[in-house]
Amino acid sequence: MSHAQYFLEATYLIASCLFVLGLKGLSHPDSARRGMILAAAGMAAAVIGTLFHPDIHNYIYIAIGLMVGSAIGIPMAMVPMTAMPQRTALSHAFGAMAASMVGIAEYVIHGSSLGGIKMGALGLEVMLGSLTVTGSLIAAAKLQELMRGTPITYRGQQFVNLGLFLTMITSFVLWLTHPADAHYFYVMAGCAFIFGVLLVIPIGAADMPVVMSLLNSYAGLSSAATGFVLGNNVLIIAGTLDGFSGFILSILMCKAMNRSITNVLFGGFGTPVTAETAVSGAMREVSMDDVAVQLAYANQVVFVPGYGMATAQAQHAVRELGNVLEERGISVKYGIHPVAGRMPGHMNVLLAEANVPYSQLYEMDQINPEMPSTDVAVVIGANDVVNPDARDNPKSLIAGMPIIEVDKAKSVVVLKRGKGKGFSGLENPLFFKPVTGMLYGDAKSSLTALTQAVQKV
Ligand code: NAP
């Protein structure tokens, strides 16, 4: 090996270690920022190492690519937090496009001389990469509301999808057995591009985070396959890490919603739900001053944020209220449900942005035992994740979904704008319980007004 190759392999080894450490860091909010920095440093090491690749003789195209990539990447990094899911979908599309273009280029350059094993890996790379490109673009368009967010379905859809899938796989097999016939290769790639679109259009916008995490996993596996084709170790390691962590995340998200992956992919979920929950009693509206008094004289207050906190951008307002309560000697905690909001870690990211101390963030399993000794549970724009029907009504559509049991607190205050339902479309019996008071209004305005009201008590 030449010096340049030693250097290349050394940077790839360092990059791989940094990716593993980065992923480890992301497992806890305390170390997540460090994890991101380590992973970014790993990517920088891999890119710098590759620049010393002995086969690179002309840096002009690389410089142009760098400029184009930066011109797209920098503005993409500036989008507001609420647009993060669609931004992530676009990143997946770009990553997968790179992998499938490398695969197509490798086949065009080397043709059948690649040999059976490399061609197998290349075929997987192009198939997974191509369907991830179009699937992620549709996911981004649905989340950005550039196209209808509700599932797009038609008669015989699953047969069409199955037919296309089988055509794609058959072309792949025929191409492997007739390596010189490029037609099979291009039919396979074309089917994969169309399959990505057809796979994602029947899925509702609210299920997109699960789909994206699955597509992320495909993009990772596609990169790993690229690594096999190019003999590039860092791509194999990073792709495998990405592939499996994406897959595990999809499973965890499904578990937290009590759904199966097949139900997300083929269930047409996200369609407006017609089933109603049997509720009795009436919602009891409470006044700002009433809530302020409850909070001011509490020993422990638990905030339970949900999607409404994200749409209202109320994270700074809740932090300010938390500060005021703490100054009065009240214990303040935040109960975080794993699928609160619309993407994994949604609440953690928003609260971290508002500098809420990590020590105050409690996961669902940690906060539930504290509920009976909590004086006031303040639900901020959350609905499904605090719906007691999931626990009490076996016939509910969300039966079995674990919840934050705010109804066990001595008092519950729900901050929401009106009688709007949550993502599941179900009525929430919590709002009708005697223990619950409804404080209507935009979460940010309500929290700001509550802070002022508590200061006057
Ligand atoms: P949710 O059930 O969607 O409820 C959000 C509530 O926020 C609504 O009832 C709405 O009521 C209220 N709201 C909206 N804007 C508001 C504002 N500006 N101020 C105050 N309130 C506002 O939210 P969640 O409890 O967080 O549950 C998340 C749901 O998303 C779960 O069903 C979960 O399975 C699903 N999901 C999550 C993920 C993930 O990764 N996190 C992924 C896919 C699906 P009003 O209209 O009356 O205000």
Side-chain angles (χ1 to χ4, degrees), residues 301-305 309 313-326 332-334 347 350-351 354 356 360 378 380 415 443-444 446-448 451:
V301 171
V302 172
F303 292 114
V304 181
M309 183 185 82
Q313 286 291 293
Q315 61 275 23
H316 295 279
V318 66
R319 163 84 222 241
E320 276 156 31
L321 176 59
N323 284 352
V324 169
L325 294 177
E326 278 193 300
V332 174
K333 294 177 178 169
Y334 294 76
M347 299 299 117
L350 291 171
L351 294 171
V356 171
Q360 289 183 0
V378 184
I380 308 166
L415 272 52
K444 187 174 174 183
S446 298
L447 286 164
T448 311
T451 309

PDB file of all heavy atoms in Angstrom, residues 301-305 309 313-326 332-334 347 350-351 354 356 360 378 380 415 443-444 446-448 451:
ATOM      1  N   VAL A 301     -45.274  20.351  39.992  1.00  0.00           N
ATOM      2  CA  VAL A 301     -46.000  20.576  38.738  1.00  0.00           C
ATOM      3  C   VAL A 301     -45.301  19.775  37.645  1.00  0.00           C
ATOM      4  O   VAL A 301     -44.070  19.805  37.532  1.00  0.00           O
ATOM      5  CB  VAL A 301     -46.001  22.085  38.370  1.00  0.00           C
ATOM      6  CG1 VAL A 301     -46.547  22.305  36.971  1.00  0.00           C
ATOM      7  CG2 VAL A 301     -46.804  22.882  39.389  1.00  0.00           C
ATOM      8  N   VAL A 302     -46.080  19.037  36.854  1.00  0.00           N
ATOM      9  CA  VAL A 302     -45.493  18.293  35.730  1.00  0.00           C
ATOM     10  C   VAL A 302     -46.080  18.832  34.429  1.00  0.00           C
ATOM     11  O   VAL A 302     -47.306  18.861  34.262  1.00  0.00           O
ATOM     12  CB  VAL A 302     -45.764  16.772  35.858  1.00  0.00           C
ATOM     13  CG1 VAL A 302     -45.312  16.051  34.591  1.00  0.00           C
ATOM     14  CG2 VAL A 302     -45.050  16.191  37.071  1.00  0.00           C
ATOM     15  N   PHE A 303     -45.218  19.289  33.524  1.00  0.00           N
ATOM     16  CA  PHE A 303     -45.668  19.722  32.199  1.00  0.00           C
ATOM     17  C   PHE A 303     -45.609  18.522  31.255  1.00  0.00           C
ATOM     18  O   PHE A 303     -44.591  17.815  31.220  1.00  0.00           O
ATOM     19  CB  PHE A 303     -44.751  20.816  31.646  1.00  0.00           C
ATOM     20  CG  PHE A 303     -44.834  22.113  32.406  1.00  0.00           C
ATOM     21  CD1 PHE A 303     -43.752  22.590  33.140  1.00  0.00           C
ATOM     22  CD2 PHE A 303     -46.005  22.866  32.377  1.00  0.00           C
ATOM     23  CE1 PHE A 303     -43.840  23.788  33.841  1.00  0.00           C
ATOM     24  CE2 PHE A 303     -46.084  24.074  33.079  1.00  0.00           C
ATOM     25  CZ  PHE A 303     -45.005  24.528  33.814  1.00  0.00           C
ATOM     26  N   VAL A 304     -46.679  18.314  30.489  1.00  0.00           N
ATOM     27  CA  VAL A 304     -46.678  17.226  29.496  1.00  0.00           C
ATOM     28  C   VAL A 304     -46.913  17.852  28.119  1.00  0.00           C
ATOM     29  O   VAL A 304     -48.043  18.169  27.755  1.00  0.00           O
ATOM     30  CB  VAL A 304     -47.755  16.171  29.822  1.00  0.00           C
ATOM     31  CG1 VAL A 304     -47.726  15.048  28.790  1.00  0.00           C
ATOM     32  CG2 VAL A 304     -47.528  15.606  31.218  1.00  0.00           C
ATOM     33  N   PRO A 305     -45.838  18.069  27.377  1.00  0.00           N
ATOM     34  CA  PRO A 305     -46.003  18.730  26.078  1.00  0.00           C
ATOM     35  C   PRO A 305     -46.374  17.746  24.968  1.00  0.00           C
ATOM     36  O   PRO A 305     -46.078  16.557  25.048  1.00  0.00           O
ATOM     37  CB  PRO A 305     -44.610  19.314  25.817  1.00  0.00           C
ATOM     38  CG  PRO A 305     -43.678  18.397  26.535  1.00  0.00           C
ATOM     39  CD  PRO A 305     -44.433  17.796  27.702  1.00  0.00           C
ATOM     40  N   MET A 309     -47.592  22.081  21.419  1.00  0.00           N
ATOM     41  CA  MET A 309     -46.503  22.956  21.881  1.00  0.00           C
ATOM     42  C   MET A 309     -45.593  23.302  20.698  1.00  0.00           C
ATOM     43  O   MET A 309     -45.086  24.422  20.584  1.00  0.00           O
ATOM     44  CB  MET A 309     -45.679  22.288  22.987  1.00  0.00           C
ATOM     45  CG  MET A 309     -44.599  23.230  23.526  1.00  0.00           C
ATOM     46  SD  MET A 309     -43.492  22.488  24.728  1.00  0.00           S
ATOM     47  CE  MET A 309     -42.323  21.639  23.686  1.00  0.00           C
ATOM     48  N   GLN A 313     -45.069  26.883  19.075  1.00  0.00           N
ATOM     49  CA  GLN A 313     -43.702  27.309  19.408  1.00  0.00           C
ATOM     50  C   GLN A 313     -43.660  27.851  20.842  1.00  0.00           C
ATOM     51  O   GLN A 313     -43.146  28.938  21.114  1.00  0.00           O
ATOM     52  CB  GLN A 313     -43.211  28.376  18.412  1.00  0.00           C
ATOM     53  CG  GLN A 313     -42.871  27.796  17.052  1.00  0.00           C
ATOM     54  CD  GLN A 313     -41.622  26.910  17.099  1.00  0.00           C
ATOM     55  OE1 GLN A 313     -40.524  27.365  17.335  1.00  0.00           O
ATOM     56  NE2 GLN A 313     -41.802  25.609  16.908  1.00  0.00           N
ATOM     57  N   ALA A 314     -44.234  27.048  21.757  1.00  0.00           N
ATOM     58  CA  ALA A 314     -44.434  27.519  23.130  1.00  0.00           C
ATOM     59  C   ALA A 314     -43.311  27.076  24.070  1.00  0.00           C
ATOM     60  O   ALA A 314     -43.434  27.224  25.279  1.00  0.00           O
ATOM     61  CB  ALA A 314     -45.779  27.009  23.633  1.00  0.00           C
ATOM     62  N   GLN A 315     -42.222  26.526  23.531  1.00  0.00           N
ATOM     63  CA  GLN A 315     -41.187  25.948  24.400  1.00  0.00           C
ATOM     64  C   GLN A 315     -40.513  27.001  25.295  1.00  0.00           C
ATOM     65  O   GLN A 315     -40.212  26.720  26.454  1.00  0.00           O
ATOM     66  CB  GLN A 315     -40.150  25.158  23.583  1.00  0.00           C
ATOM     67  CG  GLN A 315     -39.347  25.912  22.546  1.00  0.00           C
ATOM     68  CD  GLN A 315     -40.084  26.008  21.206  1.00  0.00           C
ATOM     69  OE1 GLN A 315     -41.290  25.899  21.152  1.00  0.00           O
ATOM     70  NE2 GLN A 315     -39.353  26.247  20.122  1.00  0.00           N
ATOM     71  N   HIS A 316     -40.304  28.210  24.777  1.00  0.00           N
ATOM     72  CA  HIS A 316     -39.652  29.253  25.601  1.00  0.00           C
ATOM     73  C   HIS A 316     -40.626  29.734  26.683  1.00  0.00           C
ATOM     74  O   HIS A 316     -40.233  29.971  27.823  1.00  0.00           O
ATOM     75  CB  HIS A 316     -39.212  30.428  24.728  1.00  0.00           C
ATOM     76  CG  HIS A 316     -38.143  30.040  23.755  1.00  0.00           C
ATOM     77  ND1 HIS A 316     -36.817  29.949  24.099  1.00  0.00           N
ATOM     78  CD2 HIS A 316     -38.208  29.669  22.453  1.00  0.00           C
ATOM     79  CE1 HIS A 316     -36.107  29.557  23.057  1.00  0.00           C
ATOM     80  NE2 HIS A 316     -36.931  29.377  22.042  1.00  0.00           N
ATOM     81  N   ALA A 317     -41.908  29.841  26.290  1.00  0.00           N
ATOM     82  CA  ALA A 317     -42.919  30.308  27.248  1.00  0.00           C
ATOM     83  C   ALA A 317     -43.055  29.318  28.408  1.00  0.00           C
ATOM     84  O   ALA A 317     -43.195  29.727  29.562  1.00  0.00           O
ATOM     85  CB  ALA A 317     -44.254  30.489  26.534  1.00  0.00           C
ATOM     86  N   VAL A 318     -42.984  28.016  28.125  1.00  0.00           N
ATOM     87  CA  VAL A 318     -43.133  27.044  29.216  1.00  0.00           C
ATOM     88  C   VAL A 318     -41.898  27.083  30.117  1.00  0.00           C
ATOM     89  O   VAL A 318     -41.991  26.972  31.338  1.00  0.00           O
ATOM     90  CB  VAL A 318     -43.422  25.611  28.680  1.00  0.00           C
ATOM     91  CG1 VAL A 318     -42.311  25.014  27.908  1.00  0.00           C
ATOM     92  CG2 VAL A 318     -43.771  24.680  29.836  1.00  0.00           C
ATOM     93  N   ARG A 319     -40.754  27.296  29.512  1.00  0.00           N
ATOM     94  CA  ARG A 319     -39.522  27.395  30.316  1.00  0.00           C
ATOM     95  C   ARG A 319     -39.624  28.596  31.284  1.00  0.00           C
ATOM     96  O   ARG A 319     -39.256  28.516  32.448  1.00  0.00           O
ATOM     97  CB  ARG A 319     -38.325  27.542  29.361  1.00  0.00           C
ATOM     98  CG  ARG A 319     -37.046  28.063  29.986  1.00  0.00           C
ATOM     99  CD  ARG A 319     -36.270  26.935  30.619  1.00  0.00           C
ATOM    100  NE  ARG A 319     -35.722  27.315  31.887  1.00  0.00           N
ATOM    101  CZ  ARG A 319     -34.432  27.342  32.179  1.00  0.00           C
ATOM    102  NH1 ARG A 319     -33.554  27.004  31.294  1.00  0.00           N
ATOM    103  NH2 ARG A 319     -34.016  27.672  33.374  1.00  0.00           N
ATOM    104  N   GLU A 320     -40.159  29.729  30.757  1.00  0.00           N
ATOM    105  CA  GLU A 320     -40.283  30.912  31.624  1.00  0.00           C
ATOM    106  C   GLU A 320     -41.234  30.645  32.789  1.00  0.00           C
ATOM    107  O   GLU A 320     -40.946  30.999  33.937  1.00  0.00           O
ATOM    108  CB  GLU A 320     -40.778  32.113  30.810  1.00  0.00           C
ATOM    109  CG  GLU A 320     -39.634  32.812  30.095  1.00  0.00           C
ATOM    110  CD  GLU A 320     -40.095  33.593  28.883  1.00  0.00           C
ATOM    111  OE1 GLU A 320     -41.234  34.100  28.892  1.00  0.00           O
ATOM    112  OE2 GLU A 320     -39.303  33.672  27.916  1.00  0.00           O
ATOM    113  N   LEU A 321     -42.356  29.964  32.488  1.00  0.00           N
ATOM    114  CA  LEU A 321     -43.294  29.632  33.564  1.00  0.00           C
ATOM    115  C   LEU A 321     -42.613  28.687  34.558  1.00  0.00           C
ATOM    116  O   LEU A 321     -42.745  28.862  35.781  1.00  0.00           O
ATOM    117  CB  LEU A 321     -44.562  28.988  32.973  1.00  0.00           C
ATOM    118  CG  LEU A 321     -45.594  28.495  33.980  1.00  0.00           C
ATOM    119  CD1 LEU A 321     -46.088  29.650  34.867  1.00  0.00           C
ATOM    120  CD2 LEU A 321     -46.798  27.854  33.291  1.00  0.00           C
ATOM    121  N   GLY A 322     -41.865  27.717  34.037  1.00  0.00           N
ATOM    122  CA  GLY A 322     -41.134  26.780  34.899  1.00  0.00           C
ATOM    123  C   GLY A 322     -40.186  27.525  35.833  1.00  0.00           C
ATOM    124  O   GLY A 322     -40.112  27.232  37.036  1.00  0.00           O
ATOM    125  N   ASN A 323     -39.473  28.522  35.293  1.00  0.00           N
ATOM    126  CA  ASN A 323     -38.530  29.310  36.111  1.00  0.00           C
ATOM    127  C   ASN A 323     -39.249  30.013  37.254  1.00  0.00           C
ATOM    128  O   ASN A 323     -38.795  29.987  38.405  1.00  0.00           O
ATOM    129  CB  ASN A 323     -37.855  30.390  35.250  1.00  0.00           C
ATOM    130  CG  ASN A 323     -36.787  29.785  34.361  1.00  0.00           C
ATOM    131  OD1 ASN A 323     -36.469  28.601  34.497  1.00  0.00           O
ATOM    132  ND2 ASN A 323     -36.240  30.582  33.451  1.00  0.00           N
ATOM    133  N   VAL A 324     -40.393  30.625  36.905  1.00  0.00           N
ATOM    134  CA  VAL A 324     -41.138  31.380  37.916  1.00  0.00           C
ATOM    135  C   VAL A 324     -41.605  30.429  39.026  1.00  0.00           C
ATOM    136  O   VAL A 324     -41.522  30.753  40.223  1.00  0.00           O
ATOM    137  CB  VAL A 324     -42.335  32.112  37.251  1.00  0.00           C
ATOM    138  CG1 VAL A 324     -43.280  32.683  38.288  1.00  0.00           C
ATOM    139  CG2 VAL A 324     -41.824  33.203  36.326  1.00  0.00           C
ATOM    140  N   LEU A 325     -42.071  29.241  38.629  1.00  0.00           N
ATOM    141  CA  LEU A 325     -42.540  28.275  39.632  1.00  0.00           C
ATOM    142  C   LEU A 325     -41.378  27.804  40.503  1.00  0.00           C
ATOM    143  O   LEU A 325     -41.506  27.686  41.725  1.00  0.00           O
ATOM    144  CB  LEU A 325     -43.210  27.075  38.942  1.00  0.00           C
ATOM    145  CG  LEU A 325     -44.511  27.384  38.184  1.00  0.00           C
ATOM    146  CD1 LEU A 325     -45.033  26.139  37.483  1.00  0.00           C
ATOM    147  CD2 LEU A 325     -45.589  27.935  39.125  1.00  0.00           C
ATOM    148  N   GLU A 326     -40.226  27.561  39.857  1.00  0.00           N
ATOM    149  CA  GLU A 326     -39.061  27.093  40.631  1.00  0.00           C
ATOM    150  C   GLU A 326     -38.616  28.139  41.641  1.00  0.00           C
ATOM    151  O   GLU A 326     -38.216  27.810  42.758  1.00  0.00           O
ATOM    152  CB  GLU A 326     -37.913  26.778  39.683  1.00  0.00           C
ATOM    153  CG  GLU A 326     -38.043  25.404  39.055  1.00  0.00           C
ATOM    154  CD  GLU A 326     -36.771  24.980  38.382  1.00  0.00           C
ATOM    155  OE1 GLU A 326     -36.355  25.703  37.446  1.00  0.00           O
ATOM    156  OE2 GLU A 326     -36.190  23.966  38.797  1.00  0.00           O
ATOM    157  N   VAL A 332     -40.482  21.302  39.496  1.00  0.00           N
ATOM    158  CA  VAL A 332     -41.004  21.331  38.120  1.00  0.00           C
ATOM    159  C   VAL A 332     -40.386  20.200  37.309  1.00  0.00           C
ATOM    160  O   VAL A 332     -39.164  20.041  37.293  1.00  0.00           O
ATOM    161  CB  VAL A 332     -40.675  22.698  37.442  1.00  0.00           C
ATOM    162  CG1 VAL A 332     -41.077  22.687  35.972  1.00  0.00           C
ATOM    163  CG2 VAL A 332     -41.362  23.831  38.174  1.00  0.00           C
ATOM    164  N   LYS A 333     -41.238  19.400  36.673  1.00  0.00           N
ATOM    165  CA  LYS A 333     -40.743  18.295  35.842  1.00  0.00           C
ATOM    166  C   LYS A 333     -41.480  18.295  34.511  1.00  0.00           C
ATOM    167  O   LYS A 333     -42.581  18.839  34.416  1.00  0.00           O
ATOM    168  CB  LYS A 333     -40.968  16.956  36.565  1.00  0.00           C
ATOM    169  CG  LYS A 333     -40.141  16.843  37.825  1.00  0.00           C
ATOM    170  CD  LYS A 333     -40.391  15.579  38.597  1.00  0.00           C
ATOM    171  CE  LYS A 333     -39.461  15.581  39.818  1.00  0.00           C
ATOM    172  NZ  LYS A 333     -39.761  14.555  40.774  1.00  0.00           N
ATOM    173  N   TYR A 334     -40.851  17.671  33.520  1.00  0.00           N
ATOM    174  CA  TYR A 334     -41.472  17.555  32.193  1.00  0.00           C
ATOM    175  C   TYR A 334     -41.612  16.065  31.878  1.00  0.00           C
ATOM    176  O   TYR A 334     -40.619  15.322  31.960  1.00  0.00           O
ATOM    177  CB  TYR A 334     -40.594  18.208  31.117  1.00  0.00           C
ATOM    178  CG  TYR A 334     -40.467  19.704  31.275  1.00  0.00           C
ATOM    179  CD1 TYR A 334     -39.633  20.261  32.252  1.00  0.00           C
ATOM    180  CD2 TYR A 334     -41.173  20.577  30.450  1.00  0.00           C
ATOM    181  CE1 TYR A 334     -39.514  21.630  32.413  1.00  0.00           C
ATOM    182  CE2 TYR A 334     -41.064  21.953  30.603  1.00  0.00           C
ATOM    183  CZ  TYR A 334     -40.238  22.470  31.589  1.00  0.00           C
ATOM    184  OH  TYR A 334     -40.127  23.832  31.742  1.00  0.00           O
ATOM    185  N   MET A 347     -40.142  16.687  21.207  1.00  0.00           N
ATOM    186  CA  MET A 347     -40.271  17.503  22.418  1.00  0.00           C
ATOM    187  C   MET A 347     -38.904  17.795  23.032  1.00  0.00           C
ATOM    188  O   MET A 347     -38.621  18.916  23.457  1.00  0.00           O
ATOM    189  CB  MET A 347     -41.154  16.782  23.450  1.00  0.00           C
ATOM    190  CG  MET A 347     -42.550  16.507  22.975  1.00  0.00           C
ATOM    191  SD  MET A 347     -43.420  18.039  22.580  1.00  0.00           S
ATOM    192  CE  MET A 347     -43.720  17.864  20.839  1.00  0.00           C
ATOM    193  N   LEU A 350     -37.167  20.587  21.120  1.00  0.00           N
ATOM    194  CA  LEU A 350     -37.740  21.922  21.367  1.00  0.00           C
ATOM    195  C   LEU A 350     -37.380  22.420  22.765  1.00  0.00           C
ATOM    196  O   LEU A 350     -36.996  23.579  22.946  1.00  0.00           O
ATOM    197  CB  LEU A 350     -39.262  21.873  21.214  1.00  0.00           C
ATOM    198  CG  LEU A 350     -39.768  21.651  19.787  1.00  0.00           C
ATOM    199  CD1 LEU A 350     -41.263  21.402  19.780  1.00  0.00           C
ATOM    200  CD2 LEU A 350     -39.445  22.859  18.917  1.00  0.00           C
ATOM    201  N   LEU A 351     -37.481  21.521  23.758  1.00  0.00           N
ATOM    202  CA  LEU A 351     -37.195  21.951  25.136  1.00  0.00           C
ATOM    203  C   LEU A 351     -35.706  22.232  25.314  1.00  0.00           C
ATOM    204  O   LEU A 351     -35.328  23.147  26.047  1.00  0.00           O
ATOM    205  CB  LEU A 351     -37.689  20.892  26.131  1.00  0.00           C
ATOM    206  CG  LEU A 351     -39.215  20.731  26.150  1.00  0.00           C
ATOM    207  CD1 LEU A 351     -39.647  19.540  26.985  1.00  0.00           C
ATOM    208  CD2 LEU A 351     -39.903  22.001  26.667  1.00  0.00           C
ATOM    209  N   ALA A 354     -34.968  25.621  24.201  1.00  0.00           N
ATOM    210  CA  ALA A 354     -35.360  26.636  25.182  1.00  0.00           C
ATOM    211  C   ALA A 354     -34.535  26.530  26.467  1.00  0.00           C
ATOM    212  O   ALA A 354     -34.862  27.171  27.466  1.00  0.00           O
ATOM    213  CB  ALA A 354     -36.843  26.475  25.490  1.00  0.00           C
ATOM    214  N   VAL A 356     -34.227  24.126  28.657  1.00  0.00           N
ATOM    215  CA  VAL A 356     -34.799  23.426  29.815  1.00  0.00           C
ATOM    216  C   VAL A 356     -33.752  22.398  30.262  1.00  0.00           C
ATOM    217  O   VAL A 356     -33.253  21.645  29.429  1.00  0.00           O
ATOM    218  CB  VAL A 356     -36.119  22.710  29.425  1.00  0.00           C
ATOM    219  CG1 VAL A 356     -36.595  21.805  30.546  1.00  0.00           C
ATOM    220  CG2 VAL A 356     -37.182  23.737  29.070  1.00  0.00           C
ATOM    221  N   GLN A 360     -34.589  17.892  34.256  1.00  0.00           N
ATOM    222  CA  GLN A 360     -36.040  18.030  34.486  1.00  0.00           C
ATOM    223  C   GLN A 360     -36.870  17.210  33.501  1.00  0.00           C
ATOM    224  O   GLN A 360     -38.081  17.150  33.603  1.00  0.00           O
ATOM    225  CB  GLN A 360     -36.436  19.511  34.367  1.00  0.00           C
ATOM    226  CG  GLN A 360     -35.944  20.341  35.527  1.00  0.00           C
ATOM    227  CD  GLN A 360     -36.404  21.792  35.423  1.00  0.00           C
ATOM    228  OE1 GLN A 360     -37.089  22.184  34.497  1.00  0.00           O
ATOM    229  NE2 GLN A 360     -36.007  22.589  36.391  1.00  0.00           N
ATOM    230  N   VAL A 378     -49.834  19.830  33.797  1.00  0.00           N
ATOM    231  CA  VAL A 378     -50.242  20.797  32.775  1.00  0.00           C
ATOM    232  C   VAL A 378     -49.982  20.181  31.403  1.00  0.00           C
ATOM    233  O   VAL A 378     -48.829  19.956  31.012  1.00  0.00           O
ATOM    234  CB  VAL A 378     -49.449  22.129  32.918  1.00  0.00           C
ATOM    235  CG1 VAL A 378     -49.959  23.155  31.916  1.00  0.00           C
ATOM    236  CG2 VAL A 378     -49.554  22.663  34.333  1.00  0.00           C
ATOM    237  N   ILE A 380     -49.749  20.462  27.599  1.00  0.00           N
ATOM    238  CA  ILE A 380     -49.577  21.577  26.659  1.00  0.00           C
ATOM    239  C   ILE A 380     -49.715  21.057  25.232  1.00  0.00           C
ATOM    240  O   ILE A 380     -48.783  20.506  24.656  1.00  0.00           O
ATOM    241  CB  ILE A 380     -48.185  22.228  26.844  1.00  0.00           C
ATOM    242  CG1 ILE A 380     -47.978  22.584  28.315  1.00  0.00           C
ATOM    243  CG2 ILE A 380     -48.025  23.457  25.966  1.00  0.00           C
ATOM    244  CD1 ILE A 380     -46.548  22.901  28.654  1.00  0.00           C
ATOM    245  N   LEU A 415     -54.079  22.718  28.101  1.00  0.00           N
ATOM    246  CA  LEU A 415     -53.973  23.926  27.286  1.00  0.00           C
ATOM    247  C   LEU A 415     -54.158  23.540  25.831  1.00  0.00           C
ATOM    248  O   LEU A 415     -53.316  22.847  25.261  1.00  0.00           O
ATOM    249  CB  LEU A 415     -52.567  24.538  27.454  1.00  0.00           C
ATOM    250  CG  LEU A 415     -52.315  25.529  28.589  1.00  0.00           C
ATOM    251  CD1 LEU A 415     -52.769  24.981  29.921  1.00  0.00           C
ATOM    252  CD2 LEU A 415     -50.855  25.915  28.645  1.00  0.00           C
ATOM    253  N   ALA A 443     -51.305  27.780  22.912  1.00  0.00           N
ATOM    254  CA  ALA A 443     -50.485  27.387  24.062  1.00  0.00           C
ATOM    255  C   ALA A 443     -49.477  28.467  24.462  1.00  0.00           C
ATOM    256  O   ALA A 443     -49.269  28.719  25.653  1.00  0.00           O
ATOM    257  CB  ALA A 443     -49.751  26.089  23.737  1.00  0.00           C
ATOM    258  N   LYS A 444     -48.889  29.139  23.467  1.00  0.00           N
ATOM    259  CA  LYS A 444     -47.859  30.132  23.796  1.00  0.00           C
ATOM    260  C   LYS A 444     -48.485  31.317  24.542  1.00  0.00           C
ATOM    261  O   LYS A 444     -47.976  31.756  25.585  1.00  0.00           O
ATOM    262  CB  LYS A 444     -47.187  30.607  22.511  1.00  0.00           C
ATOM    263  CG  LYS A 444     -46.005  31.501  22.731  1.00  0.00           C
ATOM    264  CD  LYS A 444     -45.364  31.774  21.409  1.00  0.00           C
ATOM    265  CE  LYS A 444     -44.253  32.780  21.511  1.00  0.00           C
ATOM    266  NZ  LYS A 444     -43.704  33.070  20.189  1.00  0.00           N
ATOM    267  N   SER A 446     -51.305  31.340  26.200  1.00  0.00           N
ATOM    268  CA  SER A 446     -51.803  30.918  27.519  1.00  0.00           C
ATOM    269  C   SER A 446     -50.655  30.844  28.521  1.00  0.00           C
ATOM    270  O   SER A 446     -50.790  31.295  29.660  1.00  0.00           O
ATOM    271  CB  SER A 446     -52.467  29.551  27.429  1.00  0.00           C
ATOM    272  OG  SER A 446     -53.568  29.607  26.588  1.00  0.00           O
ATOM    273  N   LEU A 447     -49.515  30.288  28.093  1.00  0.00           N
ATOM    274  CA  LEU A 447     -48.386  30.129  29.020  1.00  0.00           C
ATOM    275  C   LEU A 447     -47.807  31.486  29.420  1.00  0.00           C
ATOM    276  O   LEU A 447     -47.459  31.704  30.585  1.00  0.00           O
ATOM    277  CB  LEU A 447     -47.301  29.255  28.379  1.00  0.00           C
ATOM    278  CG  LEU A 447     -47.644  27.757  28.304  1.00  0.00           C
ATOM    279  CD1 LEU A 447     -46.720  27.031  27.336  1.00  0.00           C
ATOM    280  CD2 LEU A 447     -47.565  27.105  29.691  1.00  0.00           C
ATOM    281  N   THR A 448     -47.737  32.405  28.446  1.00  0.00           N
ATOM    282  CA  THR A 448     -47.204  33.734  28.756  1.00  0.00           C
ATOM    283  C   THR A 448     -48.124  34.429  29.765  1.00  0.00           C
ATOM    284  O   THR A 448     -47.659  35.013  30.758  1.00  0.00           O
ATOM    285  CB  THR A 448     -47.092  34.576  27.459  1.00  0.00           C
ATOM    286  OG1 THR A 448     -46.440  33.777  26.485  1.00  0.00           O
ATOM    287  CG2 THR A 448     -46.327  35.862  27.664  1.00  0.00           C
ATOM    288  N   THR A 451     -47.739  32.908  33.237  1.00  0.00           N
ATOM    289  CA  THR A 451     -46.518  33.346  33.933  1.00  0.00           C
ATOM    290  C   THR A 451     -46.784  34.667  34.653  1.00  0.00           C
ATOM    291  O   THR A 451     -46.435  34.838  35.829  1.00  0.00           O
ATOM    292  CB  THR A 451     -45.357  33.511  32.923  1.00  0.00           C
ATOM    293  OG1 THR A 451     -45.275  32.315  32.165  1.00  0.00           O
ATOM    294  CG2 THR A 451     -44.029  33.775  33.594  1.00  0.00           C
TER     295      THR A 451
END
